[in-house]
Amino acid sequence: MCGIAGMVAPDGEAADPTLVRAMAERLAHRGPDGEGEFFSGPVGLAHRRLAIVGLSDEGRQPMANGDGSLQIVFDGEIYNFPEVREALVAAGHTFATATDTEVILHAYEEWGHDCLSRFNGMWAFALWDGRRRELFCARDRLGVKPFYYTADAGSFLFASEIKALLVHAGRRPNDRMLLAFLAWGVADHTPETMYEGIVQLPPAHFVVVSEAGAGEPERYWDIAVNGAPRGADDEEAAQGVRSLLADAVRLRLQSDAPVGICLSGGIDSSTVTALANVLLQSGHPKSVGDRQKTFSVSFEDPRFDESRHIDTVVAATGVANRRTTPDTEGLWEDIGRLLYMQDEPFASLSIYAQYCVMRLASSEVKVVLDGQGADEQLAGYIAYQMPYIRGLLRRGEVLAALREVAGSVRRHTSFFSWAARQFAVRSERRGLLRGDAPEVLRYAGSLDEVLAREITASNLPLLLHWEDRNAMAFSIEARVPFLDYRLVEYLAGLPLDQKIRSGVTKYVLRRAIEGLVPDAIRCRMDKMGFVTPEEAWMKEELRPHILALFSSPEFTRRPYWDAERVLRNYREFLEGKSPYSTEFWRIACTELWLRGFADR
């Protein structure tokens, strides 16, 4: 995992070394282990290296092919690069290094743009083809690695993070995206960012840039096509999921730097921990060491503390575990850097818990695995029950729908009462905002449609954004086994009743890990993850900060909200006259972001 930046100047002009170097400097946290650059006519490439696989200087970038006609800067890992390398050697290619970066160069020589279909991994790269005089930019299938770009005055500029592009020129907020975030809590659901003129290359896309400008991004993989329906009984499906997930974990334990796991105590991270432990016992992953390292968050408030579940996993596997306890004093000290690292406002204080876990992990490892992506594929959020039941009714499967209603009510009663309250509160609090926010309906349509949208647009891309920036803030590479494209395609093809059954979410995964993960974890229906006591914090410790923020002249002048009404509504919450909703934090976070970025 690294930081990449660069530009292609308009026809007849040369790349600006001062600009490209300044962009790369803002990415130093992504790559503290080395730096490099390449300039030739219109193209300038810069790289900040985080050494993970291959720690010697042979992994330095930009990297060239044998005759120097190709130059690449690459962020990520190609986990199956040994197999791809073997195929290329059989085709007559010779290699000067043992790196996955060089494999990309030769794969491009052999297969052109189609090389992307050969890779299993996470990547964002820019490859300059000197013969064609064009830059080939690509992003992995699920968008684990970031790639932002802007076209300004005929120049194409790209970088791993938005902040690097802000070196070139200040940007106004993108009001449409900002209002969607404030109203719905979404971001990264379109190629647009919260900055006008800065966009991201969508997952599973590439774009070709010449001196004449950038073409339109082209899709090279589609979950709807590649995850075609397949028939499998419960046992076969469970075996398929376990086999694919185990191999995904095996691949992601490959590292020449120390590896650990983020353990929340939930089913997903516990599964990754248990599978890694099996591999450790078989002597596979040298990167793990003699005892697997895991990192968690805990709280004194039992409503938010997962310690008992973490303890269960630790006792079953014998892993080492370290914990951190985020608090509001630390949050207010860290908020400026956290917002700087994220580039955009974030919807929940749970992101701070993850930030603290990454900080803790950075003292011992350079790579972490976690369970990101399982919920969106396996209908893990309770809100997915509604489109599933709705779809059954539309197909006339009334008895099946009634069974699901009964199962959901039996297992998730508290959720339905919470959802009813939240719907009423949010309907009222949308009146706090001004402007026309585009409608974002995450749960519209059939469950198949909802999950496909959640994976590619409405939820997972935002979670991956948060995780990448939190990890890279501490120069850590985050790896996500549940997003191995082979597993993603397999899960997408399974029937919905192997994802939800009688109110049981992640049905096939729970069956797949029977005997591997303790039943106290495997069968739990409550879900937290890395959360914080947001409501309690906003009512107690953060009260003076939020009141000062909502009372300030700057806040009053913003065009995005009715400041007087926001303050009044927040006071009513403090006085116990109305319940909490996350709009308060989103508005506060947006104000802090505007002061740190847009007001400069």
Side-chain angles (χ1 to χ4, degrees):
M1 194 174 288
C2 304
I4 62 174
M7 69 178 298
V8 177
D11 191 15
E13 296 186 19
D16 182 348
T18 301
L19 171 60
V20 174
R21 288 167 186 154
M23 290 164 61
E25 182 61 28
R26 288 205 178 179
L27 303 174
H29 56 282
R30 296 186 72 92
D33 298 331
E35 57 185 302
E37 59 186 39
F38 169 80
F39 294 95
S40 177
V43 66
L45 305 175
H47 186 262
R48 299 295 305 229
R49 184 186 183 203
L50 180 64
I52 300 294
V53 176
L55 306 183
S56 70
D57 284 347
E58 73 173 10
R60 286 174 58 89
Q61 299 181 40
M63 183 178 289
N65 65 340
D67 64 10
S69 61
L70 304 178
Q71 295 277 346
I72 188 173
V73 285
F74 161 52
D75 171 25
E77 303 283 353
I78 306 300
Y79 301 119
N80 68 330
F81 81 92
E83 292 81 6
V84 179
R85 179 187 170 117
E86 285 182 12
L88 290 165
V89 169
H93 292 259
T94 58
F95 287 80
T97 74
T99 65
D100 55 350
T101 308
E102 190 180 7
V103 168
I104 298 175
L105 287 167
H106 287 280
Y108 176 82
E109 287 179 321
E110 183 69 22
W111 300 301
H113 299 171
D114 291 339
C115 68
L116 300 173
S117 65
R118 308 277 180 147
F119 301 149
N120 182 356
M122 54 181 185
W123 65 83
F125 66 75
L127 189 157
W128 174 250
D129 187 330
R131 292 195 180 96
R132 294 178 176 271
R133 307 286 292 176
E134 63 185 29
L135 190 71
F136 175 52
C137 307
R139 195 172 176 207
D140 64 73
R141 295 175 182 84
L142 281 305
V144 180
K145 303 307 300 163
F147 190 99
Y148 295 94
Y149 65 93
T150 185
D152 188 43
S155 291
F156 176 89
L157 297 95
F158 71 89
S160 298
E161 296 180 11
I162 294 171
K163 62 179 65 65
L165 297 173
L166 298 180
V167 170
H168 179 58
R171 299 284 172 178
R172 289 191 65 256
N174 181 337
D175 288 350
R176 181 173 56 256
M177 291 293 286
L178 198 56
L179 285 169
F181 168 76
L182 287 166
W184 303 98
V186 296
D188 292 273
H189 57 296
T190 78
E192 293 182 74
T193 69
M194 294 191 200
Y195 296 83
E196 278 192 0
I198 296 178
V199 298
Q200 57 183 313
L201 184 62
H205 281 70
F206 67 82
V207 64
V208 177
V209 185
S210 70
E211 292 165 90
E216 289 296 317
E218 297 183 43
R219 178 180 291 278
Y220 65 85
W221 179 84
D222 192 334
I223 189 173
V225 174
N226 296 80
R230 58 179 58 84
D233 62 30
D234 286 350
E235 185 59 31
E236 181 186 353
Q239 289 177 359
V241 168
R242 180 154 171 172
S243 175
L244 286 168
L245 185 54
D247 196 56
V249 171
R250 177 189 66 81
L251 287 175
R252 284 156 182 80
L253 289 174
Q254 297 176 138
S255 172
D256 294 319
V259 177
I261 294 177
C262 295
L263 174 60
S264 70
I267 184 174
D268 308 325
S269 64
S270 298
T271 297
V272 172
T273 301
L275 287 171
N277 193 54
V278 170
L279 289 165
L280 177 62
Q281 292 171 354
S282 68
H284 166 70
K286 63 178 182 179
S287 58
V288 173
D290 295 332
R291 190 180 182 199
Q292 188 180 167
K293 297 179 176 68
T294 61
F295 305 93
S296 307
V297 67
S298 62
F299 293 99
E300 293 181 4
D301 190 329
R303 293 175 299 170
F304 306 98
D305 187 47
E306 295 272 78
S307 292
R308 69 187 187 280
H309 300 301
I310 297 166
D311 290 341
T312 298
V313 177
V314 170
T317 58
V319 300
N321 182 254
R322 291 185 60 195
R323 300 177 197 181
T324 182
T325 302
D327 58 35
T328 52
E329 183 177 348
L331 167 65
W332 215 249
E333 291 176 357
D334 290 333
I335 191 68
R337 184 173 190 265
L338 180 53
L339 272 168
Y340 177 77
M341 288 300 170
Q342 289 294 328
D343 284 325
E344 297 174 302
F346 48 88
S348 166
L349 282 174
S350 64
I351 191 175
Y352 182 58
Q354 186 187 60
Y355 179 87
C356 292
V357 169
M358 294 299 182
R359 177 164 52 197
L360 175 67
S362 68
S363 64
E364 296 193 41
V365 301
K366 289 183 73 172
V367 178
V368 293
L369 278 63
D370 71 17
Q372 196 76 267
D375 288 307
E376 292 79 9
Q377 297 181 75
L378 287 159
Y381 298 123
I382 307 305
Y384 296 144
Q385 304 274 339
M386 299 310 296
Y388 184 41
I389 293 168
R390 186 170 60 237
L392 290 171
L393 290 172
R394 286 176 178 172
R395 293 194 299 272
E397 300 177 40
V398 177
L399 290 178
L402 291 174
R403 283 196 298 270
E404 288 302 322
V405 170
S408 295
V409 169
R410 184 168 66 253
R411 293 183 171 90
H412 312 293
T413 307
S414 60
F415 165 77
F416 286 100
S417 59
W418 174 86
R421 291 196 308 272
Q422 287 298 304
F423 179 80
V425 170
R426 291 186 180 186
S427 296
E428 172 194 348
R429 291 203 171 132
R430 292 252 161 76
L432 302 178
L433 304 177
R434 291 173 174 165
D436 296 322
E439 192 172 52
V440 181
L441 301 178
R442 283 180 57 184
Y443 306 112
S446 67
L447 182 58
D448 272 330
E449 293 169 335
V450 169
L451 294 182
R453 189 166 59 243
E454 290 278 88
I455 293 166
T456 60
S458 56
N459 198 55
L460 183 59
L462 178 56
L463 298 179
L464 292 172
H465 173 144
W466 292 345
E467 179 167 48
D468 174 83
R469 305 313 184 278
N470 275 340
M472 293 311 297
F474 301 101
S475 304
I476 288 182
E477 176 172 294
R479 298 177 175 180
V480 280
F482 277 98
L483 296 185
D484 187 300
Y485 82 96
R486 300 167 302 166
L487 179 62
V488 172
E489 291 177 357
Y490 188 83
L491 292 175
L494 293 178
L496 292 178
D497 73 344
Q498 289 178 340
K499 300 174 184 179
I500 297 179
R501 186 174 299 177
S502 299
V504 176
T505 61
K506 302 180 184 176
Y507 179 84
V508 68
L509 177 62
R510 296 177 194 274
R511 183 158 182 162
I513 60 174
E514 188 171 3
L516 175 72
V517 173
D519 282 353
I521 305 297
R522 185 180 70 87
C523 300
R524 62 178 295 203
M525 293 292 155
D526 58 325
K527 177 175 178 56
M528 285 193 194
F530 290 140
V531 298
T532 58
E534 180 174 303
E535 179 177 347
W537 285 3
M538 290 289 283
K539 191 166 190 175
E540 297 164 7
E541 292 98 327
L542 290 179
R543 173 197 301 233
H545 299 292
I546 303 302
L547 282 172
L549 202 68
F550 288 172
S551 303
S552 66
E554 297 97 324
F555 186 81
T556 303
R557 291 194 295 266
R558 303 294 183 197
Y560 308 110
W561 45 69
D562 182 331
E564 182 179 344
R565 190 169 178 179
V566 170
L567 180 59
R568 182 173 66 250
N569 217 274
Y570 179 63
R571 288 187 185 278
E572 290 173 355
F573 157 67
L574 296 178
E575 295 164 2
K577 296 177 180 178
S578 66
Y580 180 74
S581 69
T582 56
E583 279 82 358
F584 288 140
W585 171 254
R586 292 205 296 271
I587 291 171
C589 190
T590 299
E591 173 62 23
L592 291 169
W593 172 76
L594 287 166
R595 294 182 184 189
F597 284 81
D599 290 351
R600 291 184 177 180

